[in-house]
């Protein structure tokens, strides 16, 4: 950084440069979207810390946010010193070197963001669908490619011109060795390709699940917010192509343009969209019909009977564990609730039935052994006492029950 500081071209005080309306819009975009991303990520960390579920994917998003925030200052200077948002006829004669120096610095903060966001999303998806072999290996492969691409792009961006000061010094660039302009188009195309591949994984995970359609669409919809980032990346790709390969119109109002802010919008929307799925507990609180953890199957007391043992009214959330040395739990009446046993194998099987996710976590859509079935129900045992007198009910929590067959009537 000292090398950059010693070589930074001198420029006037940017606060004394007038700010026309279109440039004001560009500056607003430059600060608004990082602020919005900061608020969303802060909410994500609040929920994660509350639920005690902070993971590596959260720290990757935090690193991406840090790069985005650090980019704000250099990009502000670039917009001001390069007179973006001005009518060409009003632009004074100026040295582009100071603005290009700040733009070069902004690039170094820009390039890691999308890679960090994708790595965070892929790790998040690994926690959701990692029990599927195909999904797991697809995520490993994408994450490896994403990491190698991020390292390669950063190094090329850092050393895109040698000597380095040729990146902003127009005179030095004449004799410098620089990467071809096709590099910028290539990395943009690779970014869009990996965006599409990452967006395909949630479909792979969720479309095959036995979930209510509104819940399935809502969960997939959260991930599809990232589609807006891909669209912006495509628009940006077209803009980059025009800069390098389309001859400018001599009559065009060249500086009256703020498309450079697409860089800011792109990376911060990526951060926001990657944070969306992690906010599912909050979404479920606000929109329980769409994001609720319940399967919607409820069994109330009364006519519904479970098992054949009389004498007890059991109202609880029950965790039923199937193992090799236990019998399948079944019911004795047609009106009861049948719990289908897991297929037996050499390994212990595990099924959980919960009214809600105990931690409010979106990861508990699935367990390591497949889908977590979520059901809220009540079980009643109706029977007579030994004296044939009044019926009595005793309520017990599920933690007090090892197996239903162990329950015996208590004489009153």
């Amino acid at each position: 950084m000292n090398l950059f500081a010693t070589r930074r071209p001198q420029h006037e005080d940017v606060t004394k440069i007038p700010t026309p309306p279109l440039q004001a819009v560009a500056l607003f975009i430059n600060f608004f979207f990082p602020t919005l991303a900061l608020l969303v990520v802060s909410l994500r960390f609040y929920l994660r810390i509350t639920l005690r579920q902070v993971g590596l994917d959260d720290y990757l998003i935090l690193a991406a946010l840090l790069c985005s925030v650090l980019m704000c200052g250099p990009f502000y200077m670039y917009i001001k010193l390069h007179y973006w948002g001005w009518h060409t006829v009003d632009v004074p004669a100026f040295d582009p070197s100071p603005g290009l120096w700040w733009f070069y610095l902004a690039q170094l903060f820009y390039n890691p963001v999308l890679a960090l966001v994708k790595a965070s999303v892929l790790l998040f998806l690994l926690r959701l669908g990692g029990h599927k072999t195909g999904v797991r290996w697809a995520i490993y492969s994408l994450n490896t490619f994403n990491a190698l691409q991020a390292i390669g792009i950063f190094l090329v961006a850092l050393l895109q011109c040698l000597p380095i000061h040729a990146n902003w010094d127009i005179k030095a660039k004449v004799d410098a060795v620089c990467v071809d302009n096709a590099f910028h188009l290539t990395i943009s195309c690779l970014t869009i390709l990996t965006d599409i591949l990452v967006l395909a994984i949630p479909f792979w995970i969720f479309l095959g699940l036995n979930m209510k359609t509104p819940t399935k669409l809502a969960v997939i919809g959260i991930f599809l917010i990232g589609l807006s980032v891909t669209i912006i990346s495509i628009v940006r790709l077209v803009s980059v192509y025009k800069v390098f390969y389309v001859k400018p119109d001599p009559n065009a109002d060249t500086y009256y343009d703020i498309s450079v802010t697409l860089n800011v919008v792109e990376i911060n929307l990526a951060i926001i969209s990657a944070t969306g799925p992690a906010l599912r507990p909050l979404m479920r609180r606000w929109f329980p019909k769409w994001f609720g953890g319940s399967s919607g199957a409820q069994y109330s007391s009364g006519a519904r009977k479970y098992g054949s043992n009389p004498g007890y009214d059991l109202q609880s959330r029950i965790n039923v564990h199937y193992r090799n040395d236990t019998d399948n739990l079944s019911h004795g009446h047609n009106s009861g609730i049948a719990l289908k046993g897991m297929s037996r194998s050499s390994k212990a099987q595990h099924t959980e039935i919960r009214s809600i996710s105990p931690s409010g976590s979106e990861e508990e859509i699935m367990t390591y052994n497949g889908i977590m079935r979520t059901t809220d129900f009540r079980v009643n045992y109706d029977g007579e006492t030994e004296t044939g007198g009044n019926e009595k009910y005793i309520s017990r929590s599920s933690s007090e029950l090892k197996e239903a067959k162990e329950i015996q009537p208590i004489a009153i």
Side-chain angles (χ1 to χ4, degrees):
M1 191 61 68
N2 290 333
L3 173 65
F4 293 153
T6 56
R7 292 180 176 271
R8 180 171 65 85
Q10 298 299 313
H11 55 78
E12 60 180 309
D13 185 357
V14 294
T15 61
K16 297 180 179 179
I17 301 176
T19 305
L22 188 59
Q23 188 179 82
V25 173
L27 297 178
F28 172 79
I29 292 173
N30 182 57
F31 290 106
F32 171 76
F33 280 92
T35 302
L36 185 60
L38 175 62
L39 291 175
V40 173
V41 172
S42 298
L43 189 58
R44 171 180 179 145
F45 267 85
Y46 167 75
L47 288 173
R48 291 291 199 175
I49 292 172
T50 301
L51 299 175
R52 298 181 180 179
Q53 293 177 347
V54 179
L56 179 59
D57 55 323
D58 300 300
Y59 292 116
L60 289 172
I61 279 291
L62 185 62
L65 177 66
L66 178 62
C67 290
S68 174
V69 171
L70 291 175
M71 177 181 160
C72 286
F75 216 69
Y76 166 83
M77 300 295 290
Y78 172 62
I79 292 172
K80 291 293 293 182
L81 292 171
H82 223 69
Y83 293 90
W84 292 115
W86 284 56
H87 287 289
T88 304
V89 294
D90 298 327
V91 175
F94 70 97
D95 179 9
S97 296
L100 291 175
W101 185 90
W102 286 107
F103 182 68
Y104 174 76
L105 186 59
Q107 287 184 73
L108 300 182
F109 293 125
Y110 165 84
N111 283 301
V113 174
L114 294 179
L116 289 169
V117 169
K118 288 174 192 174
S120 175
V121 172
L122 288 170
L123 287 178
F124 182 86
L125 291 173
L126 185 63
R127 291 159 67 177
L128 286 181
H131 66 283
K132 294 184 177 181
T133 303
V135 172
R136 183 169 65 252
W137 283 108
I139 291 175
Y140 287 156
S141 301
L142 269 176
N143 237 343
T144 301
F145 179 79
N146 178 63
L148 294 175
Q149 178 189 358
I151 295 171
I153 290 175
F154 180 81
L155 291 176
V156 175
L158 178 66
L159 306 172
Q160 58 187 292
C161 282
L162 294 175
I164 290 180
H165 69 272
N167 286 285
W168 58 84
D169 190 334
I170 304 298
K171 294 180 180 179
K173 194 168 186 177
V174 175
D175 300 320
V177 178
C178 299
V179 297
D180 191 83
N181 292 332
F183 163 76
H184 302 283
L185 294 178
T186 302
I187 62 173
S188 296
C189 291
L190 285 175
T191 298
I192 293 170
L193 175 62
T194 52
D195 284 350
I196 294 172
L197 293 176
V198 171
L199 285 173
I201 292 180
F203 284 90
W204 191 357
I205 293 175
F206 290 108
L207 286 181
L209 294 184
N210 185 21
M211 300 168 64
K212 292 188 297 182
T213 300
T215 302
K216 186 183 296 185
L217 292 177
V219 173
I220 292 176
I222 293 176
F223 285 97
L224 280 182
I225 298 174
L227 185 61
S228 62
V229 180
T230 305
I231 294 173
I232 293 173
S233 297
I234 294 173
V235 174
R236 181 178 171 274
L237 173 62
V238 174
S239 177
V240 171
Y241 176 81
K242 289 180 179 179
V243 169
F244 292 122
Y245 294 100
V246 177
K247 189 175 181 179
D249 183 356
N251 298 320
D253 201 353
T254 306
Y255 291 93
Y256 197 70
D257 181 12
I258 58 171
S259 59
V260 291
T261 58
L262 286 174
N263 299 299
V264 177
V265 176
E266 178 188 27
I267 61 174
N268 287 286
L269 273 186
I271 294 172
I272 293 169
S273 63
T275 301
L279 298 181
R280 184 173 176 268
L282 189 61
M283 301 281 190
R284 186 171 55 199
R285 187 180 306 167
W286 290 347
F287 309 103
K289 291 185 179 180
W290 286 82
F291 296 92
S294 173
S295 66
Q298 296 184 354
Y299 299 86
S300 60
S301 61
R304 301 285 183 182
K305 295 182 179 180
Y306 182 91
S308 58
N309 288 330
Y312 299 97
D313 178 27
L314 306 178
Q315 301 182 8
S316 62
R317 290 186 301 172
I318 300 178
N319 287 346
V320 182
H321 299 265
Y322 293 93
R323 298 187 181 275
N324 288 335
D325 57 348
T326 60
D327 296 326
N328 286 344
L329 194 59
S330 62
H331 62 84
H333 301 281
N334 293 334
S335 61
I337 306 167
L339 300 182
K340 185 176 181 181
M342 304 292 286
S343 60
R344 298 182 181 275
S345 64
S346 59
K347 295 181 179 180
Q349 300 295 331
H350 174 74
T351 301
E352 296 186 5
I353 300 178
R354 296 176 178 170
S355 62
I356 59 171
S357 169
S359 61
S361 169
E362 71 289 335
E363 285 90 340
E364 295 199 24
I365 293 173
M366 304 178 186
T367 64
Y368 59 86
N369 203 25
I371 302 172
M372 173 178 289
R373 299 177 58 195
T374 303
T375 307
D376 184 15
F377 63 89
R378 294 180 180 180
V379 184
N380 292 338
Y381 290 90
D382 298 335
E384 296 180 355
T385 63
E386 287 182 340
T387 60
N390 297 330
E391 293 182 352
K392 300 273 185 185
Y393 300 101
I394 297 177
S395 175
R396 295 188 178 185
S397 66
S398 60
S399 62
E400 295 175 338
L401 303 178
K402 294 182 179 178
E403 289 185 298
K405 63 182 180 182
E406 295 179 359
I407 304 175
Q408 299 296 332
I410 298 176
I412 305 298

